[in-house]
Amino acid sequence: KVSRVIILYVDISTGYKYIKEKPEIAQCLSVYFLTNKKFKDDVLYFYHPVAPQVIVGANQNVHFEVNLDYIHQHGIALTRRGAGGGAVYVDPGNLTYSFNVNDDGTNYMNFRHFAEPAIEVLHQIGVDAEMTGRNDLTVNGQKFSGMSTLKIGNRFTCGGTLMLDVDLQS
C-alpha cells in the first residue's frame, strides 16, 4: 500500500505587522483550513506568535479565568480561539501546532493520537515528556502543553501549544 503525504506551505510572513496588531487572525487560520474548499486534504499548521498573548477557549469566561488587570498592565493581548480548551499564555518562545483533518470516525477527541508525534520528537531530543490527563503534556509532573479540538462538518482540528523558550517573567 502506498501512502501519500501532502505538504502545503502557507506563507503568512508578509502579514507580520498585521498579525502582531491583531493576533486573533492567527486563531482563525485553523477554522479557515477546515472550512475552505481549497484545503480538502489534511493540513498540519504551525504558528509562532509574534507577541505575548493569552488565548482562551471558545466557552471560557475571561472574567473568571484571566487576570485582566495584569494582562492590560503588561501589554499582553487577549484572544479567543474557536476550539474549546483552557486559557494559555503564549509568546514568541511558543510554538502552536494544529492538525486539520477529515473525520473518518476514529480520531475526533483522541488527543493522544495527535500528541504522540510531538511526544516522539521531544523524546528524540532528550525531553522526558508524557501525556497525562485528557489532553495535557507534562515533564516531571509540570504541564507545558495543553490541547484543544474543534469539529466543523466532516473536518476537525486538534492541536496544542509547546512552550519552547517562553518568557516566564511576564
Side-chain angles (χ1 to χ4, degrees):
K1 181 178 178 181
V2 176
S3 63
R4 73 180 177 148
V5 175
I6 296 173
I7 299 174
L8 176 67
Y9 178 72
V10 178
D11 184 0
I12 60 171
S13 63
T14 57
Y16 175 87
K17 182 178 182 275
Y18 188 69
I19 289 174
K20 184 173 184 180
E21 293 170 2
K22 299 192 176 288
E24 61 273 14
I25 297 299
Q27 295 306 309
C28 296
L29 286 174
S30 285
V31 172
Y32 179 73
F33 292 140
L34 291 180
T35 58
N36 189 299
K37 295 187 188 319
K38 290 181 187 177
F39 304 102
K40 60 182 184 270
D41 293 309
D42 295 353
V43 175
L44 174 57
Y45 165 63
F46 291 99
Y47 169 62
H48 183 68
V50 295
Q53 58 186 287
V54 171
I55 304 169
V56 296
N59 303 309
Q60 288 189 285
N61 182 332
V62 296
H63 297 284
F64 290 117
E65 301 196 37
V66 177
N67 183 336
L68 296 173
D69 290 335
Y70 182 88
I71 67 171
H72 292 300
Q73 290 169 2
H74 291 85
I76 300 170
L78 178 64
T79 60
R80 186 177 296 275
R81 67 179 167 274
V88 294
Y89 169 80
V90 297
D91 70 11
N94 183 90
L95 180 65
T96 300
Y97 63 95
S98 174
F99 293 90
N100 299 271
V101 299
N102 292 310
D103 185 9
D104 65 2
T106 60
N107 287 313
Y108 178 62
M109 297 297 290
N110 183 354
F111 292 105
R112 182 165 302 280
H113 175 79
F114 295 100
E116 284 300 323
I119 291 171
E120 276 184 45
V121 169
L122 291 166
H123 286 173
Q124 289 174 9
I125 63 172
V127 177
D128 190 23
E130 63 180 331
M131 183 159 189
T132 58
R134 184 173 71 102
N135 60 342
D136 297 335
L137 290 121
T138 60
V139 173
N140 298 326
Q142 299 293 310
K143 180 178 176 177
F144 71 93
S145 176
M147 298 180 72
S148 65
T149 189
L150 170 69
K151 184 172 182 183
I152 298 176
N154 69 335
R155 289 179 55 80
F156 69 91
T157 182
C158 185
T161 57
L162 294 173
M163 297 172 70
L164 303 176
D165 189 21
V166 174
D167 177 7
L168 297 177
Q169 301 305 310
S170 293

